[in-house]
Amino acid sequence: MLSFRRSTALPLVAALSLVLAGCSSETDNGESNGGEPIDGGTLTFATGDAEPTCLDPHVGGNMPQQIAGIHVTESLFTMTEEGEIEPWLAESGEMSEDGMTWTFTLKEDVEFTDGTPFDAEAVKANVEHLQDPATESSTGYLALEHVESVEPVGAHTAVFHMTEPDAALMESFAQTWLAMQSPTAMERGMEENCESPVGTGPFIVSEWSKQHSITYTRNENYNSAPATADHEGPAYLETLEIRFMPDATSRYAALQAGEVDVIDSAQPDTISQARASDGPIKDLLGVRSGASTRLELNTGGNTFSDPLVRQAFMHASDIETGVETLFFGTVERSTSMVASSTPHGTSHDDGAFDCDQEIANELLDEAGWEMGEDGIRTKDGERLTVRIPVSTHQSIPAEQSLIEQIQAQSREVGFDVTIDPMDLASWYAAAGAWEFDAITAPYGKSSPDVMRIIFHSDGIEPAPSGYHANNINVRNDELDALLEQANQTTDEAERADLYAQAQQIIVDGAYVMPLYDWQTRVLYSEDVQGLRLETNLSTPWFADAWINE
Amino acid sequence: MTRVAKATGLRLGGFILVLWAVATIVFLAMKAIPGDEVDAILGPGSNASDEAVALAIETHGLNKPLVIQYLIQLKSIFTLDWGISFSLDDPVIDVIAEQLPATLTLAFAALGLAWALALVMALISVFGRFPWRIISMIEVVSAALPHFALAIVLIVFFSTWLGVLPPVSTRDPISIVLPALTLALPTAGFLGQVMRESMMDAMEAPFAVSARARGETTIGLFRRHLLRHAILPAISLAGWAFGSLMSGAVVVEEVFARQGIGKTLLSAVGVRDMPLVIGILMVIAAVYCFVTIVVDLVEAAVDPRVGKAA
């Protein structure tokens, strides 16, 4: 209603200001979201994500590197919110009939900021860098596991030879973890490249002050904006600074005090506060592609080996209300295995995840768990226990509260839920050792192929690092085949059908309890204009932003 | 001469003993925490290839028996070759050299501020008309405040409400005020109590009474006699205070987004970056030992009795 009133008032104000033009020539472009972009200035972005240990996104491959790296190193493709692939450093990509070769056509006249030309040789060097064990890549390494070699055919055409078809290859190349870096710079070795990776991006790393900030300066020759960008050419901002502020309260206070212009990982209550006050702080929410935030049930344990018990657990809690109240209406309850921004995800609103404690009780009775005197069910002397390890680094307080609600509500039907808060390393150890009955584990990937990674039985075997991506511990040949097939199919309709079948198997098995979309939650000062989330995993994108001062 | 050499030798021996104990306890503690060091090296949860994992294990010597790892650790510490941080891939020495100045600046600023605040509180309660019991209560409360809660209160009050001080560290030196104040207040509360007691005792001591009888003014009495009595306990507690400020820095640096070894230590523990954790704790222990020694020397200079007793 407020915005309606304002928009009707605008013409009036405009007319008045015309009359008064003789008195004042100043115009107020604060509300109109724009005016002419202003060149120059410094924008400070405070992130609550961890500080990366290496700025080269090929090394390892996690969210902090994506957040810091996307301004410097650009990807071959980008992806729209609808999941469509759009050009970035590559103009197009085409898979052969048999899926055994991919041909990428690259943009011309693009240079890395050290003067090295961006061409097919550079793409080859990047793939080889990612595949080299010495690089210690994990995300990029896995994404390229079906690539045998890259053959430069002419300066701007790169042909990929595959060991087996991979329909998700372009989607993989839409991630910063597989972004293009200067071959000359990569040859300097890991240490130097971690300090100052060289890409084609709108900004250049000028200083990394550890445990504090990264300062970037504008790339004056920038000419390779993604198809999703609002403008071509160099960024408006002269300097971009990323500050690391792990504490949510001080991060928000810093934004309020004007010490920083943009913050992420904002708490739901502050977002709702900013919206309600319609004040100088605006919000920007985006969905991170990949898996949705979900509770995965470990079928290998004692409790959830029985499908009836899993179903009972799904019906025991009112997730809808919990998400609504704890997240202050900033995110909706999800009934999908993958984020709403990830193509080929399907919502399952047919009752599988509805709260109904009566059904939950019946199912537990049927499964032979009898209600004990203390309100906890038992069977053959065993109590109905559920262990949930929670990483305090990954789960924001609202998410931890949601899990506590699940704990309280499922107790009403006889589950004894234990929540173990732990640091990230201990959490990975517990996950790796299967020391859980249910767990929430984020997994970002801008492709529905994320389902193959987290649900295929190959993911049960721990990776050499000790962590397994598949936490449900189900070996289902039909599911495996569907996920493999979907990854090798180019026909989108057929692919959608295969993924729909795979998701139905997961839902029917009651293996996973979807909660809500994994989000990027940004708050920013109204002085910041042109800010958007680059859909490549929903990361703040500053090349189109400027500051009104 | 030999007496001095002997005393110095004892000090040095104690110093090394402390460092050895710290190294051992940290080594055992880090090994006892669940979690895999390979995760720390490759980034937690990474799905790295066999080759990458093998390479990492080999590079960091994790395939060797525990005792050997311990001995390697000890050797590297005492030869000042502190190894490479798993998570940052930088030499531990470099990381510490980069982060220590910020923490020391913060700790000294906080110590100075704590002394000043404590002295003011002690003076007000001894000479002021303000009832000393109320001051004493303020002291007890502030001494009991946890750094984390205090930091949030100060941020809300000085930044969000009054808007006079930045809530996070910036390039402006003024941004050290809130973090330093957060560390200083609890310490000042404690020091203030001790200083006041000591000054009140001195006021009633025969020398003060006789000085007054000779017609000494209040200011003269304070300057010539009481100040020394107030400062002595503050000095002897400085070692303790400094240690508590260093540990408080872990929380304060995190909340105020300040650079420093406290913040680095926190993230290093989170990913089980053993060389870095041990390195930082060794430095903190060494700084603590060093400050204690300096305190002993200063104390002897201020109060001749201390030197003779030892």
Side-chain angles (χ1 to χ4, degrees):
Chain A
M1 279 318 282
L2 258 175
S3 61
F4 172 70
R5 273 217 307 276
R6 188 165 47 237
S7 62
T8 52
L10 262 179
L12 200 82
V13 173
L16 259 176
S17 55
L18 267 180
V19 173
L20 299 174
C23 313
S24 161
S25 58
E26 275 185 36
T27 49
D28 173 32
N29 51 11
E31 276 300 331
S32 58
N33 187 28
E36 281 299 301
I38 295 163
D39 193 77
T42 299
L43 184 145
T44 308
F45 165 43
T47 176
D49 243 298
E51 178 171 1
T53 51
C54 169
L55 298 185
D56 172 356
H58 289 188
V59 177
N62 55 27
M63 237 18 230
Q65 288 174 307
Q66 153 94 14
I67 289 167
I70 192 168
H71 321 294
V72 176
T73 61
E74 300 184 295
S75 304
L76 289 181
F77 298 99
T78 182
M79 203 165 162
T80 66
E81 277 169 46
E82 292 73 37
E84 272 170 49
I85 295 287
E86 296 273 355
W88 196 341
L89 285 180
E91 295 287 0
S92 65
E94 211 169 311
M95 187 166 96
S96 66
E97 285 275 322
D98 62 358
M100 296 305 282
T101 51
W102 270 93
T103 307
F104 288 158
T105 311
L106 311 177
K107 254 185 208 167
E108 294 180 21
D109 300 325
V110 177
E111 269 189 4
F112 292 101
T113 51
D114 63 358
T116 310
F118 167 69
D119 54 18
E121 285 291 346
V123 173
K124 180 178 159 72
N126 272 276
V127 169
E128 283 168 3
H129 185 240
L130 279 159
Q131 290 184 327
D132 183 354
T135 306
E136 294 181 6
S137 167
S138 63
T139 312
Y141 182 89
L142 270 190
L144 293 178
E145 62 186 341
H146 301 322
V147 174
E148 188 174 28
S149 63
V150 180
E151 180 194 348
V153 179
H156 300 288
T157 308
V159 174
F160 283 62
H161 297 283
M162 312 295 290
T163 53
E164 60 183 91
D166 180 2
L169 193 63
M170 278 168 90
E171 291 156 358
S172 293
F173 272 111
Q175 304 175 100
T176 301
W177 303 305
L178 287 86
M180 294 296 123
Q181 299 182 53
S182 159
T184 320
M186 287 190 294
E187 272 171 24
R188 296 173 303 172
M190 187 161 171
E191 199 174 321
E192 209 170 326
N193 216 45
C194 274
E195 290 289 320
S196 60
V198 176
T200 58
F203 294 96
I204 301 164
V205 177
S206 64
E207 196 200 347
W208 181 12
S209 171
K210 300 271 171 68
Q211 303 292 320
H212 190 263
S213 61
I214 305 173
T215 309
Y216 304 85
T217 47
R218 174 164 62 188
N219 171 7
E220 302 292 347
N221 303 318
Y222 182 61
N223 65 349
S224 49
T228 44
D230 289 340
H231 86 292
E232 294 284 328
Y236 301 123
L237 297 167
E238 205 172 319
T239 312
L240 169 69
E241 193 185 36
I242 297 188
R243 289 288 314 271
F244 303 103
M245 289 190 196
D247 185 71
T249 315
S250 34
R251 201 161 56 240
Y252 186 55
L255 177 66
Q256 284 180 310
E259 297 292 342
V260 304
D261 306 292
V262 180
I263 64 170
D264 70 2
S265 305
Q267 296 297 320
D269 57 326
T270 55
I271 294 173
S272 133
Q273 202 183 322
R275 281 182 179 175
S277 70
D278 198 25
I281 292 176
K282 307 286 172 207
D283 72 275
L284 190 59
L285 302 186
V287 177
R288 291 182 176 179
S289 11
S292 54
T293 302
R294 70 223 177 275
L295 267 177
E296 293 173 293
L297 308 188
N298 171 14
T299 61
N302 183 42
T303 304
F304 288 134
S305 54
D306 185 342
L308 295 175
V309 179
R310 297 198 292 272
Q311 279 173 22
F313 193 69
M314 306 277 176
H315 291 301
S317 313
D318 186 358
I319 306 297
E320 179 119 27
T321 311
V323 169
E324 175 66 27
T325 51
L326 290 170
F327 287 81
F328 293 84
T330 57
V331 65
E332 278 181 23
R333 192 262 156 93
S334 164
T335 55
S336 170
M337 300 300 127
V338 294
S340 61
S341 61
T342 304
H344 305 316
T346 42
S347 288
H348 297 269
D349 301 321
D350 46 7
F353 303 112
D354 285 0
C355 174
D356 191 329
Q357 294 198 339
E358 219 169 287
I359 297 183
N361 275 316
E362 281 169 19
L363 285 164
L364 289 172
D365 289 341
E366 194 186 329
W369 290 90
E370 285 166 24
M371 190 56 98
E373 277 178 15
D374 56 353
I376 302 299
R377 289 176 184 264
T378 55
K379 182 177 175 179
D380 308 327
E382 293 261 10
R383 285 162 65 86
L384 188 55
T385 52
V386 178
R387 290 165 303 167
I388 310 182
V390 172
S391 155
T392 47
H393 285 80
Q394 281 175 172
S395 295
I396 62 165
E399 184 173 307
Q400 294 172 39
S401 304
L402 183 67
I403 296 171
E404 280 161 20
Q405 283 200 0
I406 293 172
Q407 176 186 40
Q409 292 178 347
S410 59
R411 199 198 151 86
E412 290 168 14
V413 299
F415 282 98
D416 181 12
V417 179
T418 324
I419 300 172
D420 295 323
M422 45 183 77
D423 68 63
L424 198 53
S426 313
W427 181 88
Y428 273 113
W434 294 101
E435 283 164 3
F436 63 90
D437 297 300
I439 198 165
T440 60
Y443 205 106
K445 185 173 168 75
S446 37
S447 163
D449 189 41
V450 68
M451 287 188 265
R452 183 178 56 85
I453 293 174
I454 60 177
F455 296 134
H456 193 287
S457 60
D458 279 356
I460 297 174
E461 288 302 315
S465 67
Y467 181 71
H468 41 76
N470 179 327
N471 290 318
I472 61 174
N473 204 354
V474 168
R475 198 173 294 276
N476 181 323
D477 292 340
E478 195 191 345
L479 179 61
D480 286 359
L482 284 167
L483 292 169
E484 281 167 31
Q485 235 180 311
N487 181 232
Q488 297 176 1
T489 305
T490 36
D491 185 283
E492 284 302 309
E494 199 184 326
R495 211 171 161 211
D497 181 54
L498 291 166
Y499 278 124
Q501 289 181 49
Q503 287 169 84
Q504 196 58 50
I505 292 177
I506 301 284
V507 174
D508 291 343
Y511 303 126
V512 176
M513 183 163 163
L515 301 175
Y516 57 89
D517 275 337
W518 188 30
Q519 284 183 314
T520 300
R521 298 174 233 261
V522 168
L523 287 176
Y524 63 99
S525 147
E526 65 175 354
D527 293 334
V528 176
Q529 304 287 339
L531 179 68
R532 67 178 181 85
L533 300 175
E534 168 55 32
T535 37
N536 173 328
L537 282 168
S538 239
T539 312
W541 175 253
F542 297 104
D544 292 324
W546 74 92
I547 299 187
N548 259 337
E549 272 170 332
Chain B
M1 195 59 208
T2 41
R3 201 167 57 90
V4 173
K6 201 174 154 196
T8 315
L10 271 176
R11 282 245 166 83
L12 201 67
F15 195 78
I16 290 169
L17 204 66
V18 168
L19 293 188
W20 171 75
V22 168
T24 307
I25 292 168
V26 173
F27 180 84
L28 292 177
M30 293 298 283
K31 285 290 179 188
I33 305 175
D36 188 5
E37 281 151 332
V38 180
D39 278 349
I41 300 166
L42 298 172
S46 74
N47 295 314
S49 64
D50 290 325
E51 295 97 316
V53 171
L55 195 72
I57 289 176
E58 182 64 34
T59 315
H60 297 281
L62 296 175
N63 49 353
K64 304 211 167 67
L66 209 60
V67 180
I68 302 293
Q69 287 188 43
Y70 172 67
L71 291 177
I72 291 175
Q73 198 84 57
L74 281 190
K75 178 176 167 258
S76 71
I77 285 167
F78 288 104
T79 53
L80 288 184
D81 164 26
W82 289 6
I84 309 286
S85 151
F86 290 170
S87 60
L88 302 178
D89 253 331
D90 281 333
V92 168
I93 290 268
D94 291 359
V95 175
I96 293 174
E98 204 180 343
Q99 304 294 334
L100 191 60
T103 306
L104 287 181
T105 310
L106 177 65
F108 278 115
L111 190 61
L113 204 56
W115 267 345
L117 286 171
L119 195 59
V120 167
M121 285 201 275
L123 286 179
I124 292 176
S125 56
V126 172
F127 293 110
R129 286 160 189 279
F130 209 64
W132 69 268
R133 283 185 194 284
I134 293 185
I135 297 274
S136 167
M137 209 176 73
I138 295 174
E139 284 165 0
V140 171
V141 170
S142 53
L145 277 175
H147 290 129
F148 178 76
L150 186 58
I152 301 293
V153 169
L154 292 178
I155 287 176
V156 168
F157 188 74
F158 286 105
S159 303
T160 312
W161 291 357
L162 298 183
V164 289
L165 289 171
V168 290
S169 79
T170 60
R171 286 178 211 287
D172 194 341
I174 191 109
S175 66
I176 201 174
V177 173
L178 282 187
L181 198 60
T182 306
L183 285 176
L185 276 176
T187 308
F190 188 75
L191 285 180
Q193 275 176 295
V194 180
M195 283 163 100
R196 179 170 39 75
E197 302 265 311
S198 157
M199 281 170 83
M200 281 183 151
D201 284 351
M203 274 247 287
E204 284 155 21
F207 71 85
V209 177
S210 83
R212 274 203 186 257
R214 287 196 312 268
E216 181 70 282
T217 59
T218 307
I219 291 181
L221 179 71
F222 167 69
R223 221 158 40 96
R224 272 185 275 280
H225 302 286
L226 297 187
L227 190 58
R228 191 170 274 199
H229 281 266
I231 285 178
L232 255 184
I235 292 175
S236 49
L237 281 173
W240 161 84
F242 197 80
S244 116
L245 293 174
M246 293 286 276
S247 66
V250 175
V251 173
V252 167
E253 285 169 357
E254 181 89 347
V255 173
F256 290 97
R258 263 185 74 86
Q259 224 174 354
I261 52 170
K263 200 175 168 198
T264 312
L265 176 63
L266 201 64
S267 50
V269 170
V271 295
R272 289 168 51 91
D273 187 341
M274 196 121 90
L276 189 53
V277 171
I278 293 188
I280 292 176
L281 290 175
M282 296 303 285
V283 166
I284 292 181
V287 169
Y288 182 76
C289 288
F290 180 73
V291 169
T292 317
I293 291 172
V294 172
V295 163
D296 284 356
L297 295 176
V298 172
E299 225 178 350
V302 174
D303 185 350
R305 286 174 301 174
V306 176
K308 292 208 181 87

